């Protein structure tokens, strides 16, 4: 094991003189009394390693001893990840003692002594390769696959496999024989370096299936795709986090990984408290059972922010390789970029725009590139859908993190300050936001097979109506209510109806917070019918009164349970108005 | 400063800037305190045997042969119940002429609370101000700043909120406030008979700016002691965080660091978050609520300080002068309390969320009507009614001088709606209309 000594300290950047071999991104430990503090090598020059410390550097001094681990930052992958609360370095937060996180305490990731019932899926003699399923164990409601270690290259022969029964995570459940006769022992858990994409699959597809979030402004207007990527930029107070939490609650994924990266602790606490109670719409079980939280809040080590998003992505890829639909949410990727900036700055590197490191766009592109829908070697399909929030400085989208993300993410959900100020939530701007998937032919046909023929046309129609409404509104405010033709008022109020009835959604109302696709289909169809209605109006006051009443009824409709008597009653009432 | 026997004294300073000095020293630990010719200083960089110190009061008049003594420990504070009712400077030294309290010494930077050990903040903190209790309800364990222009009476309102809110302990961290405001805080605490429950750490505009950097840590370490050890409901007041951030920028600049937006250090977000995240609700009952002040430059919230603050805190309260009535109110549009969802409609009456939203939306309609009026357009019937409503809304609810209980706020809200509007203009759930609408249901 390589040793070293601290030669310089500036905040959490350490300069270490080392004696032996050191890798870029190698993990090392600084000895402070009886504790050891974790750090990661981020630059090596002239026998000096520069490392970012994952703790405060208080009380460190010149010549303090450093031990290099010989490993990159890795995660433990195995049963016991689901529904856990980890910190940014995959330490189990619930397993830590005390109210406060003590510096340098020994931590655990997954419980290697936990017992699971293993069922083999292969027989002795089978030829296998990395990521092939050897067997499975039940983990909550998921059949957790025990896979051939990802680090193995080439084909191996299965020479021994445990019969069905109860085993500890650390027990050997199989032996593999390589080409040269070497024997590899396999347990239920394995390690993988977080910065390397897990690529043990056959092929990656272009996303084609709609990923239901229950949010109308997304599903109807700018849908996400399974295996797709999207980002939500917005100034503070525009509702990024509420939106992401709403998606976390209402989606149809098999598993959700929430990465709280450099954000508020109380937001995560809310999830800790509500998710064990909330019902998952997909499985009917508790939401917590399919949710894993990676929590590195803003007061936790800055250097671990970067690690946290990679830990989340690696866990997502691991479950994807079991043939599952995984949703990864990261809030906020800007905090990760800022952590990169802090370190780059301390290392006195030449800065790029706004003092961010020049490689920022490449780092972001690489990360988003890890999402996708894949076919595994056994033809099962799995996906990682990734949605990140961005916190642009001053709410201005012309800044490096937003711009770099725009180049790689396929869906864009712009949170508008104006809408937020007017309390029109979710504050996603319906016109400026986009989903590139709407242009994919395979996505169009898949979506129309669910939501009916001409659906894509209807969505375009809705966007046109919204656009016309904005133009009409501008004209009215310039010329005055009386000086424009009545048609302008009609255009304006049609867009208001679409806004209030479809786009706005009450994420704190048990019913309105989640609209199934079928309901969204009914809503858009009816709303477009209303927009066709011309009626007889004497003046603009009549137009606004007519539409205000319609909007009120539509809202009551939205608050009614789907397909309940009340729901049918309000639908009839709406239809009657325009008959 | 207490010099102990056999302590090494260094006298060879090799570099000096306005805020730092560098010298050769042995066995020095990161973050430890030191004295340079008796002035307080702290280790901010170690490079081989060279140690860089940040001298809090500045280096004017420090010579290359100045005496440097190291304390061997980071800034710390002696914690005990005896802190109650006392006034200290940024170093935790008594400035009220009384003796220095004794107690357990702790590093004022403190440790992070494990997020899974936090309790969901869900106890309402009422203030009697409708701009807060009705529109932006506060919760114990929350952190929220006032965004205010320098000419607004933010410190007076801060003191008023603190005294009205139900708390066991108030910790004041004053950074660069005027001496006049310091006197104002002291007198109003005294007049209201609250002196004993208040602990103050004071750095006024007359004190060296870099000393401010220690104030938030002193205040939050004290708060943590009372909230965690003594299970008290603690309210921390920090004013003015903009001046704190300005001090951060000075240090980073003297350290030759590349500035990011608005000449602020790249670590501004993390620096501010470390302070604000001390707000917590402990499961054992104690809590720390932080109410801060961030002064703005002519209302500009895109500046790095308010911008980063907004991303960290759980909402913000804007002070504003209502143009129509001339009264100071908490702006219902831009203000926000993120934790209000944890209590409104749950701990308060069920109609609270929808009623509050309707009132704010109609107040927005009124401001549109006003701009129509200013541009010389005719007002329609609805515009006229919304303008009349806005006036009542400000006078009977939003005026910060009013002290109203939560239930009355809701009743007044319904009364105003019924006075000026029709049911279909509200978009409120029918069940609430049935229950609370005082007028004719049309």
């Amino acid at each position: 094991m390589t040793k070293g000594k601290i030669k310089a300290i500036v905040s959490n950047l350490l300069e270490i003189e080392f004696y032996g071999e050191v890798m870029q991104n190698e993990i090392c430990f600084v000895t402070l009394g009886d504790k050891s503090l974790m750090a990661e090598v981020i630059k090596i020059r002239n026998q000096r390693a520069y490392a970012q410390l994952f703790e405060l550097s208080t009380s460190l001094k010149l010549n303090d001893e450093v031990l290099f681990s010989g490993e990159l930052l890795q995660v433990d992958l195995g049963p016991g990840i689901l529904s856990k609360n980890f910190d940014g370095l995959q330490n189990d937060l619930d397993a830590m003692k005390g109210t406060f996180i003590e510096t340098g305490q020994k931590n655990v990731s997954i419980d290697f002594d936990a017992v699971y019932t293993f069922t083999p899926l292969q027989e002795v003699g089978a030829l296998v390769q990395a990521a092939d399923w050897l067997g499975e164990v039940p983990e909550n409601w998921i059949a957790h696959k025990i896979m051939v270690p990802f680090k193995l290259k080439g084909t191996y022969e299965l020479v021994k496999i445990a019969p069905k029964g109860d085993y500890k995570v650390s027990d050997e459940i199989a032996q593999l024989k390589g080409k040269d006769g070497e024997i590899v022992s396999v347990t239920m858990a394995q390690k993988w370096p977080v910065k390397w994409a897990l690529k043990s699959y056959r092929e990656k597809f272009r996303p084609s299936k709609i990923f239901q979030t229950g949010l109308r402004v997304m599903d109807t207007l700018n849908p996400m795709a399974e295996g797709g990527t999207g980002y939500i930029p917005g100034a503070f107070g525009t509702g990024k986090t509420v939106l992401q939490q709403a998606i976390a609650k209402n989606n149809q994924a098999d598993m959700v990984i929430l990465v709280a990266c450099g954000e508020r602790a109380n937001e995560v606490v809310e999830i800790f408290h509500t998710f064990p109670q909330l019902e998952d719409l997909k499985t009917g079980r508790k939401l917590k059972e399919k949710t894993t939280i990676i929590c590195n809040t803003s007061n936790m080590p800055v250097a671990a922010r970067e690690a946290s998003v990679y830990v989340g992505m690696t866990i997502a890829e691991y479950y994807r390789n079991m043939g599952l639909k995984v949703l990864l949410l990261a809030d906020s990727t800007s905090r990760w970029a800022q952590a990169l900036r802090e370190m780059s700055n301390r290392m006195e590197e030449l800065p790029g725009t706004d003092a961010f490191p020049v490689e920022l766009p490449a780092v972001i592109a690489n990360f988003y590139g890890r999402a996708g829908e894949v076919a595994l070697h056994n033809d099962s399909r799995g996906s990682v859908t990734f949605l990140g929030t961005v916190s642009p400085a001053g709410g201005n989208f012309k800044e490096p993190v937003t711009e770099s993300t725009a180049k790689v993410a396929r869906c864009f959900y712009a949170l508008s300050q104006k809408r937020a100020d007017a309390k029109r939530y979710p504050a996603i701007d319906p016109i400026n936001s986009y989903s590139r998937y709407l242009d994919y032919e395979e996505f169009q046909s898949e979506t129309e097979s669910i939501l009916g023929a001409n659906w894509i046309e209807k969505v375009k129609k809705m966007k046109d109506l919204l656009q016309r409404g904005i133009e009409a509104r501008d004209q009215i405010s310039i010329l005055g209510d009386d000086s424009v033709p009545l048609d302008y008022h009609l255009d304006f109020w049609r867009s208001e109806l679409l806004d209030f009835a479809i786009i706005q959604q009450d994420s704190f109302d048990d019913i309105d917070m989640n609209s199934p696709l079928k309901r969204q289909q009914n809503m858009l169809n009816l709303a477009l019918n209303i927009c066709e209605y011309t009626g007889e109006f004497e003046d603009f006051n009549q137009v606004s009164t007519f539409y205000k009443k319609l909007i009120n009824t539509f809202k009551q409709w939205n608050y009614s349970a789907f397909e309940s008597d009340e729901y049918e009653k309000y639908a009839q009432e709406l239809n009657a108005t325009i008959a | 400063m207490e010099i102990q026997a056999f302590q090494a004294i260094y006298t060879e300073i090799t570099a000096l800037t306005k805020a730092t000095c560098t010298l050769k020293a042995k066995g020095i630990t990161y973050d430890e305190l030191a004295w340079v010719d008796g002035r307080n200083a702290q280790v901010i960089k170690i490079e081989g045997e060279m140690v860089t110190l940040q001298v809090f009061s500045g280096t004017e008049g420090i010579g290359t042969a100045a005496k440097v003594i190291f304390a061997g420990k980071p800034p710390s504070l002696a914690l005990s119940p005896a802190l109650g009712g006392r006034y200290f400077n940024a170093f935790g030294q008594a400035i009220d002429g009384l003796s220095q309290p004794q107690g357990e010494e702790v590093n004022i930077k403190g440790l992070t609370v494990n997020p899974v050990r936090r309790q969901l903040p869900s106890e309402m903190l009422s203030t009697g101000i409708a701009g807060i209790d009705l529109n932006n309800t506060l919760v114990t364990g929350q952190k929220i700043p006032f965004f205010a222009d320098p000419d607004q009476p933010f410190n007076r309102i801060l003191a008023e909120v603190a005294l009205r809110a139900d708390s066991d302990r108030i910790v004041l961290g004053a950074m660069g406030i005027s001496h006049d405001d310091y006197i104002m805080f002291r007198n109003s605490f005294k007049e209201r008979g609250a002196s004993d429950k208040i602990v103050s750490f004071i750095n006024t505009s007359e004190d060296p700016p870099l000393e401010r950097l220690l104030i938030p840590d002193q205040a939050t370490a004290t708060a943590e002691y009372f909230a965690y050890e003594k299970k008290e409901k603690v309210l921390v007041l920090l004013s003015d965080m903009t001046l704190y951030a300005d001090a951060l920028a000075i240090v980073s600049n003297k350290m030759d660091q590349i500035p990011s937006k608005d000449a602020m250090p790249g670590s501004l977000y993390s620096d501010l978050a470390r302070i604000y995240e001390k707000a917590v609700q402990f499961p054992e009952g104690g809590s720390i609520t932080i109410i801060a002040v961030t002064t703005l430059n002519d209302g500009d919230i895109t500046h790095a300080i308010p911008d980063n603050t907004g991303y960290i805190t759980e909402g913000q309260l804007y002070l504003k002068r209502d143009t129509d009535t001339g009264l100071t109110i908490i702006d219902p549009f831009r203000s926000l309390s993120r934790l209000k969802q944890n209590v409104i409609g749950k701990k308060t009456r069920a109609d609270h969320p929808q009623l509050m939203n309707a009132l704010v939306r109609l107040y927005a309609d009124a401001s549109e009507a006003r701009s129509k009026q200013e541009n010389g357009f005719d007002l329609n019937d609805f515009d006229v009614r919304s303008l009349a409503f806005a006036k009542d809304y400000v006078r009977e609810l939003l005026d910060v001088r009013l002290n109203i209980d939560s239930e009355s706020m809701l009743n007044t809200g319904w009364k105003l709606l019924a006075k000026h509007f029709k049911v279909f203009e509200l978009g409120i759930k029918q069940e609430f209309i049935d229950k609370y609408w005082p007028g004719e249901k049309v």
Side-chain angles (χ1 to χ4, degrees):
Chain A
M1 202 182 255
T2 303
K3 286 188 177 176
K5 280 181 176 171
I6 293 183
K7 288 297 166 189
I9 309 167
V10 188
S11 193
N12 72 330
L13 177 69
L14 308 177
E15 190 182 323
I16 304 159
E17 186 174 76
F18 60 89
Y19 317 104
E21 213 180 300
V22 166
M23 272 188 292
Q24 173 72 341
N25 293 105
E26 183 169 343
I27 294 297
C28 57
F29 294 91
V30 185
T31 314
L32 176 67
D34 56 349
K35 296 168 188 156
S36 78
L37 313 184
M38 187 172 169
E40 182 188 14
V41 175
I42 48 176
K43 184 167 103 174
I44 302 168
R45 196 159 130 196
N46 303 333
Q47 263 337 92
R48 292 284 173 98
Y50 295 79
Q52 55 176 348
L53 187 67
F54 294 120
E55 312 260 5
L56 288 178
S57 15
T58 303
S59 301
L60 290 183
K61 57 182 192 303
L62 182 70
N63 293 331
D64 274 351
E65 192 170 77
V66 182
L67 290 173
F68 291 86
S69 68
E71 307 267 12
L72 299 176
L73 181 62
Q74 302 193 96
V75 282
D76 289 307
L77 300 170
I81 290 177
L82 210 56
S83 75
K84 280 280 165 60
N85 304 316
F86 295 116
D87 75 359
L89 301 169
Q90 209 204 5
N91 299 308
D92 186 342
L93 287 166
D94 291 286
M96 290 182 187
K97 290 194 178 66
T99 304
F100 296 88
I101 300 177
E102 296 288 339
T103 312
Q105 67 173 300
K106 276 259 172 287
N107 295 309
V108 295
S109 54
I110 56 176
D111 182 359
F112 290 94
D113 291 329
V115 174
Y116 289 88
T117 308
F118 175 79
T119 310
L121 292 173
Q122 301 272 5
E123 282 169 15
V124 168
L127 292 179
V128 294
Q129 56 178 319
D132 280 359
W133 301 347
L134 293 173
E136 61 185 26
V137 300
E139 183 187 16
N140 294 355
W141 66 285
I142 285 173
H144 186 115
K145 303 292 187 287
I146 306 301
M147 293 178 263
V148 174
F150 304 126
K151 284 176 183 167
L152 296 185
K153 294 196 174 80
T155 313
Y156 284 75
E157 187 194 338
L158 183 63
V159 289
K160 196 174 149 193
I161 187 150
K164 184 171 174 144
D166 291 350
Y167 303 90
K168 284 199 289 191
V169 173
S170 56
D171 286 343
E172 179 184 271
I173 52 98
Q175 281 185 3
L176 306 173
K177 192 166 83 179
K179 282 214 172 63
D180 305 325
E182 79 278 15
I183 297 292
V184 180
S185 169
V186 179
T187 67
M188 289 190 207
Q190 54 173 312
K191 285 180 185 291
W192 185 258
V194 294
K195 296 224 171 133
W196 297 356
L198 258 181
K199 284 196 170 154
S200 313
Y201 51 78
R202 200 186 66 224
E203 92 179 280
K204 197 183 248 188
F205 303 102
R206 204 158 91 132
S208 64
K209 289 187 223 97
I210 186 166
F211 183 89
Q212 186 181 324
T213 64
L215 284 171
R216 302 185 287 264
V217 65
M218 292 177 74
D219 296 352
T220 296
L221 270 165
N222 293 303
M224 266 299 271
E226 250 182 74
T229 51
Y231 76 115
I232 311 172
F236 66 81
T238 51
K240 276 185 303 297
T241 306
V242 175
L243 187 66
Q244 248 201 1
Q245 290 194 5
I247 296 167
K249 286 175 194 165
N250 300 323
N251 64 78
Q252 293 284 322
D254 296 319
M255 181 193 188
V256 178
I257 300 168
L258 274 169
V259 183
C261 171
E263 291 288 307
R264 306 175 183 92
N266 278 338
E267 283 166 2
V268 194
V269 175
E270 197 185 329
I271 298 173
F272 291 155
H273 284 259
T274 53
F275 277 34
Q277 263 105 51
L278 292 173
E279 192 178 288
D280 175 29
L281 301 161
K282 163 115 184 174
T283 59
R285 304 177 62 136
K286 296 297 174 215
L287 256 181
K288 187 69 195 132
E289 293 186 46
K290 74 166 190 184
T291 311
T292 294
I293 296 166
I294 319 278
C295 164
N296 189 78
T297 56
S298 57
N299 56 339
M300 291 164 86
V302 175
R305 276 188 213 157
E306 187 191 15
S308 69
V309 291
Y310 283 100
V311 166
M313 181 56 93
T314 309
I315 292 176
E317 288 172 330
Y318 174 65
Y319 279 88
R320 174 205 65 195
N321 273 15
M322 299 176 198
L324 298 174
K325 264 200 278 185
V326 185
L327 172 65
L328 175 64
L329 298 166
D331 184 21
S332 134
T333 57
S334 293
R335 305 297 161 225
W336 158 35
Q338 283 179 340
L340 294 176
R341 175 168 74 184
E342 282 185 33
M343 287 323 292
S344 156
N345 204 292
R346 280 186 197 121
M347 291 200 295
E348 298 177 356
E349 293 177 344
L350 280 181
T353 321
D354 287 357
F356 280 105
V358 283
E359 71 271 20
L360 183 72
V363 171
I364 290 177
N366 210 290
F367 187 81
Y368 274 79
R370 287 173 71 169
E373 191 193 16
V374 302
L376 306 175
H377 292 298
N378 64 7
D379 290 330
S380 305
R381 287 194 175 203
S383 63
V384 175
T385 308
F386 177 63
L387 197 59
T389 63
V390 175
S391 320
N396 179 2
F397 292 175
K398 288 209 173 317
E399 58 93 42
V401 185
T402 315
E403 285 174 343
S404 310
T405 311
K407 286 175 200 154
V408 287
R410 309 303 286 165
C411 291
F412 169 62
Y413 301 103
L415 288 172
S416 139
Q417 185 73 58
K418 235 172 109 182
R419 289 186 64 84
D421 287 347
K423 313 270 183 227
R424 296 186 175 208
Y425 288 116
I428 293 178
D429 185 319
I431 303 290
N432 290 332
S433 304
Y434 58 75
S435 162
R436 291 270 171 266
Y437 301 117
L438 278 176
D439 303 331
Y440 292 13
E441 296 81 4
E442 59 269 48
F443 185 85
Q444 293 177 347
S445 59
E446 282 260 7
T447 306
E448 295 199 338
S449 74
I450 304 169
L451 293 170
N454 303 324
W455 177 258
I456 307 290
E457 270 310 304
K458 288 178 189 165
V459 172
K460 284 193 184 129
K461 179 91 194 275
M462 173 169 172
K463 287 185 181 173
D464 288 345
L465 286 167
L466 289 168
Q467 183 65 44
R468 281 209 336 244
I470 292 174
E471 288 160 14
R473 185 200 187 97
D474 288 347
Q475 290 299 318
I476 296 170
S477 64
I478 295 167
L479 301 170
D481 285 328
D482 286 323
S483 319
V484 295
L486 212 51
D487 279 353
Y488 282 50
H489 287 279
L490 272 172
D491 279 344
F492 168 66
W493 278 103
R494 282 174 185 143
S495 73
E496 285 289 277
L497 172 79
L498 293 172
D499 192 340
F500 275 93
I502 294 184
I503 297 172
Q504 290 179 45
Q505 198 168 350
D506 188 345
S507 45
F508 299 100
D509 183 84
D510 289 340
I511 290 171
D512 197 32
M513 66 188 251
N514 174 50
S515 285
L517 286 181
K518 282 285 163 205
R519 181 170 189 152
Q520 297 191 36
Q521 184 185 12
N522 291 352
M523 288 174 74
L524 181 62
N525 286 340
L526 180 54
L528 288 180
N529 283 343
I530 294 174
C531 291
E532 296 288 321
Y533 177 74
T534 42
E536 290 289 317
F537 299 105
E538 279 170 23
D539 61 14
F540 66 86
N541 274 327
Q542 271 191 1
V543 177
S544 71
T545 308
F546 177 78
Y547 273 94
K548 275 184 188 169
K549 283 186 175 156
L550 266 177
I551 288 171
N552 192 37
T553 316
F554 222 114
K555 286 228 142 178
Q556 308 299 339
W557 193 36
N558 290 354
Y559 286 128
S560 320
F562 187 39
E563 290 175 336
S564 63
D565 289 347
E566 230 192 349
Y567 176 92
E568 302 300 343
K569 186 191 98 185
Y570 284 118
Q572 274 172 20
E573 204 174 301
L574 285 167
N575 276 313
T577 338
I578 55 162
Chain B
M1 94 186 193
E2 325 144 43
I3 301 177
Q4 282 148 25
F6 310 115
Q7 222 167 357
I9 299 177
Y10 298 88
T11 53
E12 280 176 52
I13 293 177
T14 55
L16 278 161
T17 69
K18 277 183 190 163
T20 64
C21 71
T22 306
L23 70 156
K24 206 172 189 178
K26 278 210 175 103
I28 306 306
T29 58
Y30 197 76
D31 274 347
E32 93 175 78
L33 272 183
W35 295 279
V36 181
D37 261 358
R39 296 186 202 182
N40 289 284
Q42 188 177 12
V43 175
I44 51 170
K45 187 175 180 180
I46 296 177
E47 199 169 13
E49 294 194 325
M50 304 310 291
V51 175
T52 302
L53 295 168
Q54 157 184 310
V55 184
F56 291 106
S57 57
T59 54
E60 279 164 22
I62 297 276
T64 48
K67 276 187 198 154
V68 181
I69 300 164
F70 290 90
K73 59 175 190 198
S76 55
L77 182 68
L79 296 172
S80 78
L83 290 169
R86 302 294 308 276
Y87 286 81
F88 303 95
N89 68 10
F91 304 102
Q93 295 158 337
I95 53 168
D96 49 10
L98 302 172
S99 66
Q100 193 70 19
Q102 304 295 310
E104 189 204 347
E105 292 236 345
V106 297
N107 177 352
I108 56 170
K109 262 195 184 167
L111 295 168
T112 301
V113 176
N114 185 339
V116 300
R117 304 280 186 265
R118 281 171 179 259
Q119 185 81 11
L120 186 69
S122 50
E123 192 188 329
M124 182 174 167
L125 191 75
S126 28
T127 64
I129 298 173
I132 296 177
D133 296 359
L134 179 65
N135 290 349
N136 301 290
T137 322
L138 298 186
V139 178
T140 58
Q142 183 166 9
K143 46 197 178 286
I144 196 163
F146 276 101
F147 280 178
D149 282 335
D151 60 340
Q152 283 170 325
F154 50 84
N155 279 332
R156 226 184 50 226
I157 294 173
L158 188 65
E160 189 59 36
V161 168
L163 288 165
R164 279 199 207 168
D166 166 35
S167 71
D168 302 320
R169 185 76 51 188
I170 299 172
V171 183
L172 170 66
M175 291 155 281
I177 65 167
S178 68
H179 188 76
D180 302 357
D181 277 354
Y182 164 43
I183 303 286
M184 182 277 297
F185 273 116
R186 219 174 51 189
N187 289 346
S188 48
F189 292 161
K190 206 163 155 190
E191 278 162 22
R192 305 276 275 269
S195 289
D196 286 351
K197 71 172 190 182
I198 292 167
V199 187
S200 306
F201 295 90
I202 304 290
N203 165 279
T204 66
S205 52
E206 297 160 40
D207 297 320
L210 294 193
E211 292 186 6
R212 274 161 219 166
L213 294 174
L214 294 173
I215 294 270
D217 284 346
Q218 299 280 15
T220 53
T222 306
E224 212 157 75
Y225 167 74
F226 284 109
Y228 183 67
E229 303 284 342
K230 304 289 171 202
K231 302 180 177 46
E232 292 186 350
K233 242 201 271 181
V234 184
L235 187 60
V236 176
L237 312 176
L238 298 173
S239 176
D240 167 356
M241 288 299 282
T242 298
L243 298 176
Y244 168 80
D246 285 342
L248 283 176
I250 298 175
V251 176
S252 129
N253 182 279
K254 301 301 172 210
M255 295 274 290
D256 295 328
Q257 288 185 357
I258 303 153
S260 56
K261 200 168 170 280
D262 297 318
M264 284 291 141
S267 58
L268 179 65
Y269 177 84
S270 311
D271 295 333
L272 293 176
R274 208 176 50 77
I275 297 164
Y276 283 116
E277 280 294 334
K278 289 282 180 185
V280 61
Q281 174 72 55
F282 290 111
E284 296 82 8
S287 65
I288 301 175
T289 310
I290 300 180
I291 304 182
V293 168
T294 300
T295 46
L296 307 176
N297 213 341
D298 200 19
D300 178 16
I301 57 151
T302 63
H303 184 281
I305 300 170
D307 186 45
N308 279 289
T309 303
Y311 280 118
I312 294 162
T313 54
E314 283 141 354
Q316 58 279 328
L317 301 167
Y318 286 87
L319 288 182
K320 171 184 149 173
R321 194 177 155 273
D322 180 67
T323 43
D324 213 20
T325 56
L327 297 170
T328 301
I329 62 170
I330 288 165
D331 188 344
F333 300 146
R334 299 191 298 167
S335 304
L336 171 75
S337 161
R338 291 169 186 271
L339 298 187
K340 70 181 174 199
Q341 315 303 350
N342 298 354
V343 289
I344 61 170
K346 295 171 186 160
K347 301 270 165 94
T348 65
R349 227 164 63 186
D351 55 322
H352 184 167
Q354 292 218 356
L355 173 67
M356 178 245 325
N357 280 329
L359 290 167
V360 173
R361 207 173 46 238
L362 293 163
Y363 184 65
D365 287 339
S367 80
E368 266 188 31
R370 191 167 306 118
S371 71
K372 242 165 125 179
Q373 192 174 34
E374 282 158 5
N375 292 321
F377 293 123
D378 292 341
L379 298 181
N380 60 35
D381 162 57
F382 181 79
D383 294 334
V384 175
R385 286 186 285 127
S386 62
L387 281 174
F389 157 77
K391 213 169 251 175
D392 285 350
Y393 181 48
V394 170
R395 284 205 184 122
E396 295 187 36
L397 282 171
L398 293 188
D399 183 355
V400 288
R401 296 171 307 178
L402 298 174
N403 191 351
I404 323 170
D405 70 87
S406 311
E407 184 96 11
S408 313
M409 286 179 194
L410 296 174
N411 294 339
T412 308
W414 282 109
K415 188 191 83 188
L416 297 182
L417 289 183
K419 181 174 167 195
H420 299 283
F421 300 104
K422 301 188 179 73
V423 169
F424 75 86
E425 288 169 329
L426 308 177
I428 293 182
K429 255 191 193 174
Q430 197 58 44
E431 59 168 293
F432 297 134
I433 301 280
D434 292 343
K435 201 160 172 191
Y436 298 109
W437 183 256
E440 201 185 326
K441 290 184 178 62
V442 284

